[in-house]
């Protein structure tokens, strides 16, 4: 299936379709790779406009149509991933891949008397439109190709790829090789493994040990880290996609500052940039640590560095930002990033089974809130249009088109020199346009300050102009997460069919026995001001939540209450974490807003509601 240009574009010349035959490859069959399994899971589940990917390849002037199709044919023969299908019965997920020795693919030719508007942006729109429609994994050539020509002369190739056979790095490799073929250059022998061979390495004893270690690493973070970075009153869960406009920073100031900080600290630019990103994200979110996915991290080994396949398995970085200065954070970032990279190969099915099990036990929903994808080191950075040639911008912010955002904050770093070139998609529910612009500008300000000298971490607001999230006094830090007891109460009430519910914070091991937090409360409530909210806390006295449920004659158990609540948490509002303890009573007290009144009631049943104690 090849998609024409967007519907609002008028072509004076009707499109035509070329069928291109290829031969000379080797027919092969084998298990799918871990990266393929990960992306196929998304392909079968997600909107194809979200999961399919696209690129635009400029064609040098004077290139013939035959030269373009010959280059495309050569790429198909050279890379097994482009000749791969994934046969599977309906209703199942593929477990094998089949590589064809020969076959055909189609090229849709859109000829114009002249290209409309900005030609590069127009080509980008054609490629993006081709993402619509799910790829038929079991039979379809995994690339949709549209050739844009002017009076028969090729100008751009607009492509949409199945994410089962390519990721951003693979597209960049193909773009580079396409340009070299058109220039008449001979491509070097392949040095990285094709997918079938990569799958064999992953299934080896060493590969399986690596996968097990990755699962253990992820489980530690899922069990102990914040479940959502942006837990605040205006936040939304990642299950609720938003449309976010692309905001692009091009800053020679940022490039100079990044280089200067790297020289001063003696750390690589990539490490410095990651530290700055995590510092600012954690600061804006009001968190003690930053959890960010790093999708391109798993191509650091030579056997996959230039493999045309998908290696899209997140590295998950969990960086504790509780240090005195930015230099100390940069030093900590180096080891944390390497540790995340080492644990980015895993069985994705088992990973999501683990996440489901652990989040049910913890009573949470892990959100892929923050994604940072640094593709600046790729041989041909994936920029989508020719706008990367604009090197002269001293500091420029430009808004682009919107796209669905299945996360809260997504950044692509395309280049770091001579300018810092980053595109950001920030959820509108969390970032106004001014706040999004301020975040990217604040990143540059932080790098400039760090280039001049070490920056105290408690000075980030003044240095960057970025303000932390605002939460009311009713929000608590519970089990490493920011939690709203009111949101938990409302969600639990819906989960148990409207039964009366009361949720309160209970003290940690250093708290006092009467339910206060070392604040001197004397009225028997949880706070110091006559209300039912904690007003402070002793050091180390992080509370946990207890839920009281007046079940009446309903045959409810703590386990049933917990299961019902965890089923709602993925779609609930921000700040919802399951209570550590459920206490069941018969009827609510006369004053249902006071915790001490609930505590005095006779307990019918109580427990964690978990299958295992946490």
């Amino acid at each position: 299936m090849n998609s024409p240009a967007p519907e609002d574009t008028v072509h004076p010349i009707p499109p035509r379709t070329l069928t291109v035959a290829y031969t000379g490859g080797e027919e092969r069959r084998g298990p799918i790779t871990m990266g393929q399994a990960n992306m196929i899971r998304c392909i079968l589940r997600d909107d194809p406009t979200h999961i399919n990917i696209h690129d635009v390849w400029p064609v040098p002037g004077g290139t013939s149509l035959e030269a373009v199709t010959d280059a495309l044919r050569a790429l198909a023969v050279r890379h097994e991933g482009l000749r791969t299908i994934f046969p599977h019965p309906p209703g199942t997920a593929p477990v094998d891949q089949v590589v064809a020795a020969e076959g055909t693919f189609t090229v849709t030719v859109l000829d114009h008397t002249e290209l409309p508007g900005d030609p590069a942006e127009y080509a980008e729109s054609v490629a993006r439109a081709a993402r619509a429609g799910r790829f038929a994994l079991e039979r379809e050539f995994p690339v949709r190709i549209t050739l844009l020509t002017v009076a028969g002369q090729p100008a751009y190739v607009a492509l949409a790829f199945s994410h089962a056979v390519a990721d951003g790095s693979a597209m960049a490799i193909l773009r580079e090789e396409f340009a070299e073929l058109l220039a008449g250059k001979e491509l070097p022998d392949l040095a990285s493994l094709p997918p079938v061979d990569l799958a064999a390495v992953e299934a080896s004893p060493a590969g399986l040990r690596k996968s097990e270690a990755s699962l253990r690493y992820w489980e530690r973070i899922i069990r102990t880290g914040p479940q959502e970075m942006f837990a605040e009153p205006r936040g939304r869960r990642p299950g609720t996609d938003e449309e976010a406009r692309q905001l692009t920073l091009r800053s020679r100031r940022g490039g100079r500052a990044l280089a200067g900080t790297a020289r001063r600290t003696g750390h690589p630019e990539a490490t410095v940039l990651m530290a700055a990103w995590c510092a600012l994200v954690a600061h804006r979110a009001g968190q003690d640590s930053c959890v960010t996915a790093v999708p391109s991290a798993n191509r650091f080994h030579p056997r996959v560095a230039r493999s045309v396949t998908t290696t899209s398995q997140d590295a998950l970085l969990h960086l504790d930002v509780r240090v005195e200065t930015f230099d100390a954070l940069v030093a900590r970032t180096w080891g944390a990033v390497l540790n995340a990279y080492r644990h980015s190969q895993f069985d994705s099915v088992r990973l999501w089974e683990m996440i489901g099990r652990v989040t049910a036990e913890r009573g949470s929903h892990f959100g892929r809130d923050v994604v940072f994808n640094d593709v600046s080191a790729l041989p041909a950075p994936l920029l989508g249009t020719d706008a990367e040639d604009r090197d002269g911008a001293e500091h420029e912010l430009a808004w682009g088109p919107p796209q669905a955002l299945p996360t809260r904050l997504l950044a692509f770093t395309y280049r770091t020199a001579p300018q810092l070139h980053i595109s950001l998609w920030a959820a509108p529910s969390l970032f106004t346009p001014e706040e999004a612009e301020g975040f990217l500008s604040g990143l540059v300000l932080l790098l400039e300050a760090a280039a001049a000298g070490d920056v105290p971490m408690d000075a980030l607001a003044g240095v960057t102009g970025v303000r932390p999230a605002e939460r009311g006094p009713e929000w608590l830090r519970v089990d490493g997460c920011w939690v709203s007891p009111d949101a938990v109460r409302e969600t639990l009430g819906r989960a148990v069919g409207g039964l009366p519910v009361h949720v309160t914070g209970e003290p940690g091991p250093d708290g006092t026995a009467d339910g206060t937090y070392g604040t001197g409360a004397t009225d028997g409530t949880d706070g110091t001001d006559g209300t039912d909210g904690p007003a402070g806390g002793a050091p180390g006295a992080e509370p946990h939540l207890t839920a009281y449920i007046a079940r009446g004659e309903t045959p409810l158990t703590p386990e049933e209450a917990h299961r019902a609540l965890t089923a709602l948490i993925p779609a609930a509002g921000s700040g919802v974490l399951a209570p550590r303890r459920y206490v069941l009573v018969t009827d609510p007290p006369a004053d249902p807003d006071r915790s001490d009144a609930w505590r005095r009631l006779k307990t019918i049943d109580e427990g964690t509601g978990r299958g295992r104690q946490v």
Side-chain angles (χ1 to χ4, degrees):
M1 169 181 172
N2 283 296
S3 174
E7 294 179 1
D8 59 353
T9 301
V10 177
H11 296 285
I13 304 172
R16 62 191 177 101
T17 300
L18 301 178
T19 299
V20 180
Y22 63 86
T23 187
E26 180 184 355
E27 185 174 345
R28 306 181 72 196
R29 185 184 187 112
I32 60 177
T33 68
M34 292 179 179
Q36 288 171 333
N38 187 45
M39 295 318 304
I40 287 172
R41 177 183 176 275
C42 300
I43 289 168
L44 297 176
R45 178 196 64 193
D46 296 346
D47 185 323
T49 60
H50 296 178
I51 195 63
N52 294 337
I53 53 179
H54 73 279
D55 196 14
V56 173
W57 301 346
V59 179
T63 303
S64 68
L65 188 149
E66 290 74 19
V68 171
T69 56
D70 285 346
L72 293 170
R73 179 188 294 110
L75 292 176
V77 174
R78 176 176 170 83
H79 296 290
E80 291 185 4
L82 301 182
R83 296 182 275 115
T84 297
I85 60 172
F86 304 90
H88 61 286
T92 67
V95 295
D96 292 319
Q97 56 184 314
V98 175
V99 182
E102 58 185 30
T104 62
F105 59 87
T106 60
V107 177
T108 298
V109 180
L110 297 180
D111 197 22
H112 308 72
T113 53
E114 61 180 6
L115 292 178
D118 183 322
E121 289 186 5
Y122 166 66
E124 169 85 4
S125 71
V126 173
R128 185 178 293 275
R131 290 168 61 159
R134 203 177 304 276
F135 276 92
L137 295 170
E138 72 282 3
R139 57 178 172 80
E140 186 177 355
F141 188 76
V143 190
R144 297 168 184 161
I145 307 169
T146 304
L147 177 60
L148 306 181
T149 60
V150 180
Q153 178 67 45
Y156 293 94
V157 183
L159 310 100
F161 289 80
S162 166
H163 218 329
V165 303
D167 54 18
S169 299
M171 289 194 298
I173 293 164
L174 290 170
R175 178 202 267 206
E176 180 189 63
E177 292 185 348
F178 176 75
E180 290 180 348
L181 287 169
L182 293 185
K185 297 180 181 179
E186 183 175 345
L187 299 180
D189 292 339
L190 294 173
S192 294
L193 296 178
V196 172
D197 294 333
L198 179 58
V201 170
E202 293 174 343
S204 69
L208 294 176
R209 287 194 299 271
K210 185 178 181 67
S211 178
E212 291 296 328
S214 296
L215 292 175
R216 291 193 298 271
Y217 169 88
W218 276 69
E219 183 167 350
R220 285 195 298 272
I221 297 174
I222 304 301
R223 282 197 182 276
T224 61
Q227 292 298 280
E228 49 176 335
M229 282 301 297
F230 298 104
E232 54 186 275
R234 58 177 173 166
R236 295 188 193 176
R237 284 288 183 178
T240 306
D241 291 356
E242 299 182 62
E243 281 238 322
R245 291 179 64 195
Q246 178 179 358
L247 175 62
T248 298
L249 166 76
R250 294 181 178 88
S251 176
R252 295 183 72 91
R253 282 174 46 197
R256 290 193 299 269
L258 178 58
T261 306
R263 284 193 302 270
R264 190 185 65 76
T265 61
H267 286 277
E269 290 186 3
T271 302
V272 171
L273 184 59
M274 181 67 76
W277 168 263
C278 288
L280 202 57
V281 168
H283 168 72
R284 164 61 180 79
Q287 300 278 13
D288 290 337
S289 62
C290 176
V291 177
T292 184
V294 190
S296 63
N298 42 15
R299 282 185 176 265
F300 63 94
H301 195 284
R303 67 171 171 248
V304 294
R306 292 187 62 85
S307 181
V308 173
T309 185
T310 183
T311 62
S312 291
Q313 293 186 278
D314 286 344
L316 189 65
L317 174 64
H318 184 202
L319 183 62
D320 190 333
V321 301
R322 291 174 295 182
V323 291
E324 293 293 327
T325 68
F326 182 70
D327 283 9
L329 184 65
V330 173
R332 175 176 289 184
T333 302
W334 171 255
V337 168
L338 289 180
N339 203 27
Y341 286 4
R342 287 175 48 235
H343 296 101
S344 59
Q345 176 186 309
F346 45 78
D347 182 327
S348 60
V349 173
R350 290 188 58 203
L351 175 76
W352 284 104
E353 289 174 348
M354 178 273 290
I355 291 176
R357 183 183 72 253
V358 170
T359 53
E361 292 168 1
R362 195 178 182 189
S364 59
H365 175 73
F366 174 70
R368 191 174 179 264
D369 277 2
V370 182
V371 181
F372 185 80
N373 202 353
D374 186 347
V375 297
S376 62
L378 294 180
L382 181 67
L383 303 181
T385 71
D386 289 338
E388 64 265 33
D389 293 331
R390 295 161 58 187
D391 282 342
E394 184 67 9
H395 187 81
E396 174 185 280
L397 289 166
W399 287 96
Q403 72 177 49
L405 187 70
T407 184
R408 305 277 71 86
L409 196 66
L410 167 65
F412 271 78
T413 299
Y414 298 118
R415 289 200 299 174
T416 57
Q419 63 176 201
L420 186 60
H421 182 179
I422 299 176
S423 284
L424 181 77
W425 291 261
S429 62
L430 291 164
F431 292 81
T432 65
E434 294 76 18
E435 287 172 328
E437 292 179 356
F439 187 88
L440 281 182
S441 293
L443 187 68
V444 172
L445 291 170
L446 173 56
L447 291 171
E448 288 181 325
D454 202 358
V455 177
M457 290 294 286
D458 60 7
L460 289 183
V463 169
T464 68
V466 176
R467 302 297 173 185
E470 294 183 1
R471 302 180 182 91
E474 70 278 4
W475 282 69
L476 304 176
R477 281 292 300 270
V478 174
D479 192 18
C481 305
W482 280 107
V483 176
S484 166
D486 286 344
V488 176
R489 174 185 52 76
E490 187 275 331
T491 306
L492 179 57
R494 286 191 288 116
V496 297
L499 294 174
V501 171
H502 179 77
V503 175
T504 185
E506 301 282 5
D510 298 328
T512 58
D514 62 359
T516 65
Y517 295 83
T519 58
T522 57
D523 61 355
T525 67
D526 292 328
T528 61
D529 56 0
T531 64
D532 197 29
E542 182 176 283
H544 63 266
L545 295 182
T546 295
Y548 295 86
I549 305 173
R551 76 175 193 183
E553 299 300 320
T554 304
L556 183 71
T557 67
E559 291 74 18
E560 290 167 340
H562 184 71
R563 283 197 301 270
L565 174 59
T566 55
L568 294 185
I569 285 178
S574 185
V576 178
L577 190 75
R580 181 70 60 87
R581 188 166 65 106
Y582 299 85
V583 178
L584 306 182
V585 300
T586 302
D587 298 305
D591 189 352
D593 293 331
R594 297 179 65 89
S595 297
D596 61 317
W598 285 88
R599 293 191 187 103
R600 287 194 291 265
L601 297 176
K602 181 180 178 181
T603 298
I604 299 174
D605 194 5
E606 66 175 303
T608 67
R610 275 76 165 169
R612 56 183 279 191
Q613 297 297 309
V614 294

